Amino acid sequence: MSQSLYERLGGSEGITAIANDVVDNHMVNSAISQRFQDSDLDKLKHAAATFFITGTGGPEVYEGKDMLSAHKGMNISATEFMGVLDDALLALAKNNIAQREQEEVLFVLYSMRPHIVHV
């Protein structure tokens, strides 16, 4: 039996490190950093980690909104969305995640585009 994406990303500990790096990347990404200026970074990192843990086959720990509800009315552009994907890929690479897993994560993230961009 093959391991879940959750397991291949290092379980909760590995995913939390990746999520923290994604949020840190957002804060220095000029395309999207303004979206997060007034955010509670610890809360944002926790939400990103638990969403990612649950979404990759780990324990059901995410208690936040679904993607459409979370992004409705924010008018997120395609450019901003691509900035988020770039930040995620940078975080995955920083955490030495293999190419196959990076592609799987990118596929999952991109599949959420209709629930995030211009909603």
Side-chain angles (χ1 to χ4, degrees):
M1 179 188 270
S2 65
Q3 291 184 313
S4 69
L5 183 56
Y6 166 80
E7 293 167 318
R8 290 180 282 134
L9 293 173
S12 295
E13 184 177 328
I15 290 172
T16 297
I18 294 165
N20 288 344
D21 288 338
V22 170
V23 172
D24 289 342
N25 291 345
H26 290 349
M27 298 309 297
V28 296
N29 182 335
S30 62
I32 60 174
S33 61
Q34 70 281 0
R35 293 269 186 187
F36 301 98
Q37 284 179 344
D38 297 325
S39 297
D40 177 335
L41 292 185
D42 289 334
K43 186 176 177 181
L44 184 60
K45 287 178 178 183
H46 176 75
T50 58
F51 179 80
F52 207 177
I53 288 166
T54 298
T56 56
E60 295 286 328
V61 293
Y62 181 68
E63 297 178 350
K65 297 177 181 179
D66 63 79
M67 290 297 97
L68 182 59
S69 298
H71 297 94
K72 188 129 181 106
M74 293 179 68
N75 198 30
I76 295 170
S77 71
T79 300
E80 290 173 307
F81 182 75
M82 293 307 294
V84 168
L85 297 184
D86 289 343
D87 290 348
L89 288 173
L90 288 170
L92 291 164
K94 178 182 177 185
N95 286 275
N96 300 311
I97 302 301
Q99 183 67 32
R100 175 181 170 202
E101 285 72 26
Q102 288 186 37
E103 291 170 1
E104 286 182 53
V105 169
L106 185 60
F107 177 80
V108 170
L109 294 175
Y110 196 80
S111 73
M112 292 183 244
R113 187 180 191 278
H115 303 280
I116 297 171
V117 176
H118 296 298
V119 294

